[in-house]
Amino acid sequence: MTLSSWEDRDVKADELHHEPPGYRCPFCRYALGEFDEHNASTDLVARTDHAIARISPKWWPGNRGHVLVSPIEHFENLYTLPTSVGHSVFDLVQAVAVCNS
């Protein structure tokens, strides 16, 4: 599929949304400052207007940690992610990678 054919595609709403009713996105909860046993305020690595980077050492035992970068605003999947926000996420990924190499 070429980029132009994707842009021209008639996408139906049910193709883009599949989260269950009442779902509370853990990335959004973190961005909103809702912390629990898996998310601590001290996990914050960096934050921009559109993206957040955090270390997540608690989810996988034996893993010393890695950085998760996500948009601050909720987008269920890449198909609904605006290009400008995607660029902001990538810019933060690159900045965090360069700082930690």
Side-chain angles (χ1 to χ4, degrees):
M1 178 179 292
T2 66
L3 183 59
S4 61
S5 65
W6 169 251
E7 292 170 343
D8 296 335
R9 184 171 178 244
D10 182 26
V11 179
K12 296 175 181 55
D14 60 346
E15 291 182 76
L16 301 177
H17 303 289
H18 57 269
E19 60 189 33
Y23 176 74
R24 299 215 48 236
C25 174
F27 299 99
C28 291
R29 288 186 10 245
Y30 186 86
L32 291 169
E34 296 178 18
F35 306 116
D36 58 27
E37 69 276 5
H38 298 292
N39 302 302
S41 61
T42 55
D43 295 337
L44 181 67
V45 173
R47 185 180 182 125
T48 66
D49 289 342
H50 298 288
I52 192 165
R54 53 174 289 225
I55 192 85
S56 183
K58 300 165 199 67
W59 289 5
W60 294 276
N63 182 346
R64 295 184 304 163
H66 59 277
V67 177
L68 298 170
V69 181
S70 63
I72 290 175
E73 184 180 347
H74 181 77
F75 298 97
E76 187 176 345
N77 54 53
L78 288 174
Y79 304 114
T80 59
L81 182 72
T83 303
S84 61
V85 177
H87 286 285
S88 295
V89 170
F90 178 78
D91 290 346
L92 187 54
V93 167
Q94 189 175 44
V96 169
V98 169
C99 287
N100 291 303
S101 60

